[in-house]
């Protein structure tokens, strides 16, 4: 009888240890975590913040913005925790392809070229390129950029658009660098996405925005996943659909755009 109890106790102990290990294993391999890649240089969609709504995987950095709120809500709907991997914009699609991130949310315009390497969700925001100039500039439309010094961010759709218009330009790593060039009189115009432009104009005296809908087409932002990851894509699409229907996305946009003004 005693022996029987001992054997039972040993079996029970092993089972307990096995359960604990299984539970740990689940967390360690990230079953409950979804890793969003972004490039946190794009307010009001994403920027590094001291007290943001979402953290890096190691918990040392935090991020805020419209995309970060959306990423959190998607994770929540999936019963997961969202973490952010902040990497260079140009590296995001490769990071998806090699599994370094699960999804990319970065104010990223859905383009035919990008669709060749990744799959995009349904659109969640419509933007357009605009020109940031100094107040009093003689640039009133896109064609006035002829012969001017143009700054764009490397790899952004703004670069493609300026290239397609046939103008020479200088490409910088960050939007803030372009804006500093403009403020310091080293360039005449910055071409970048509308909401981000508004943000820079609000933060820097003496700048203004010039729109030209005949030169700049509407662009739609989507969340990207690795090609063929339909399971995740379907979950993301469902979450975006819900948030478009119930007004979560428009309310978030209003919140972050108003904060910037
Ligand atoms: N919408 C532009 C593009 O897709 C710019 C996006 C920049 N986003 C960022 N998180 N830095 O190229």
């Amino acid at each position: 009888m005693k022996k029987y109890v001992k054997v039972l106790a040993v079996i029970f102990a092993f089972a307990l240890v096995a359960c604990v290990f299984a539970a740990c294993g689940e967390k360690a391999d990230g079953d409950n975590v979804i890793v969003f890649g972004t490039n946190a240089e794009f307010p009001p969609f994403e920027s590094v913040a001291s007290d943001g709504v979402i953290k890096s995987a190691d918990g040392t950095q935090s991020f805020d913005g419209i995309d970060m709120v959306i990423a959190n809500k998607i994770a929540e709907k999936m019963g997961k925790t969202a973490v952010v991997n902040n990497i260079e914009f140009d590296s995001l699609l490769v990071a998806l392809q090699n599994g370094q991130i699960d999804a990319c949310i970065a104010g990223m315009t859905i383009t035919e070229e990008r669709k060749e390497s990744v799959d995009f969700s349904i659109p969640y925001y419509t933007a357009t390129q605009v020109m940031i100039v100094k107040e009093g500039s003689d640039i009133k439309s896109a064609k006035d950029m002829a012969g001017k010094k143009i700054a764009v961010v490397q790899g952004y759709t703004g670069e493609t658009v300026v290239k397609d218009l046939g103008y020479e330009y200088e490409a910088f790593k960050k939007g803030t660098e372009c804006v500093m060039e403009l403020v310091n009189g080293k360039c005449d115009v910055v071409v970048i996405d509308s909401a981000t432009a508004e943000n820079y104009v609000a933060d820097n005296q003496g700048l203004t925005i010039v729109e030209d809908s005949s030169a700049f087409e509407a662009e739609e932002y989507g969340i990207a996943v690795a090609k063929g990851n339909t399971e995740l894509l379907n979950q993301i699409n469902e979450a975006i659909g819900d948030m478009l229907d119930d007004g979560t996305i428009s309310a978030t946009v209003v919140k972050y755009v108003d904060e910037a003004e």
Side-chain angles (χ1 to χ4, degrees):
M1 185 64 186
K2 257 191 182 168
K3 204 172 187 183
Y4 180 66
V5 170
K6 254 189 198 166
V7 168
L8 261 189
V10 168
I11 289 173
F12 183 73
F14 266 106
L16 199 77
V17 168
C19 280
V20 168
F21 268 99
C24 288
E26 205 179 331
K27 265 195 185 150
D29 71 23
D31 267 359
N32 286 315
V33 170
I34 172 162
V35 182
F36 282 95
T38 199
N39 168 253
E41 296 284 347
F42 200 62
F45 289 90
E46 45 265 335
S47 47
V48 176
S50 51
D51 194 17
V53 295
I54 194 167
K55 287 197 157 69
S56 56
D58 63 6
T60 58
Q61 265 194 310
S62 101
F63 308 93
D64 210 350
I66 297 164
D67 283 345
M68 303 295 97
V69 172
I70 292 174
N72 263 339
K73 295 250 155 86
I74 290 172
E76 197 179 292
K77 284 175 194 280
M78 292 169 60
K80 297 190 177 195
T81 304
V83 297
V84 158
N85 197 343
N86 183 22
I87 52 190
E88 289 200 358
F89 190 76
D90 274 347
S91 307
L92 283 166
L93 299 190
V94 175
L96 267 182
Q97 289 169 314
N98 66 28
Q100 200 186 327
I101 57 176
D102 298 313
C104 161
I105 185 161
M108 186 176 276
T109 304
I110 304 169
T111 68
E112 290 307 316
E113 197 191 338
R114 289 172 181 162
K115 273 200 232 166
E116 283 171 18
S117 52
V118 295
D119 288 340
F120 278 99
S121 69
I122 55 168
Y124 64 91
Y125 184 84
T126 304
T128 180
Q129 298 300 309
V130 298
M131 295 167 282
I132 314 177
V133 297
K134 277 199 171 166
E135 277 169 4
S137 162
D138 55 3
I139 297 174
K140 304 285 179 219
S141 71
K143 64 176 176 3
D144 297 333
M145 291 196 291
K148 301 280 186 187
K149 281 194 174 160
I150 307 170
V152 298
V153 185
Q154 192 183 313
Y156 285 17
T157 41
E159 177 180 14
T160 316
V161 166
V162 170
K163 196 189 278 171
D164 290 349
L165 286 172
Y167 298 131
E168 302 243 322
Y169 59 84
E170 197 174 344
F172 295 86
K173 282 244 170 245
K174 301 175 178 186
T176 47
E177 288 172 34
C178 294
V179 171
M180 277 309 113
E181 290 281 303
L182 182 62
V183 167
N184 296 330
K186 290 186 186 155
C187 75
D188 304 304
V189 53
V190 176
V191 177
I192 197 161
D193 300 54
S194 38
T196 303
E198 302 276 358
N199 214 278
Y200 290 138
V201 167
D203 284 352
N204 293 276
Q205 292 256 312
L207 301 184
T208 187
I209 288 174
V210 179
E211 293 173 39
D212 186 344
S213 56
S214 65
F216 306 125
E217 288 170 8
E219 296 184 15
E220 288 182 318
Y221 294 172
I223 298 174
V225 300
K227 240 192 183 340
N229 192 353
T230 36
E231 196 189 334
L232 179 58
L233 192 61
N234 289 341
Q235 289 173 308
I236 290 175
N237 278 337
E238 202 178 306
I240 294 176
D242 286 351
M243 289 188 278
L244 287 170
D245 288 347
D246 70 13
T248 304
I249 293 187
S250 52
T252 307
V253 168
V254 166
K255 178 175 178 260
Y256 280 90
V257 169
D258 280 355
E259 257 175 27
E261 276 165 7

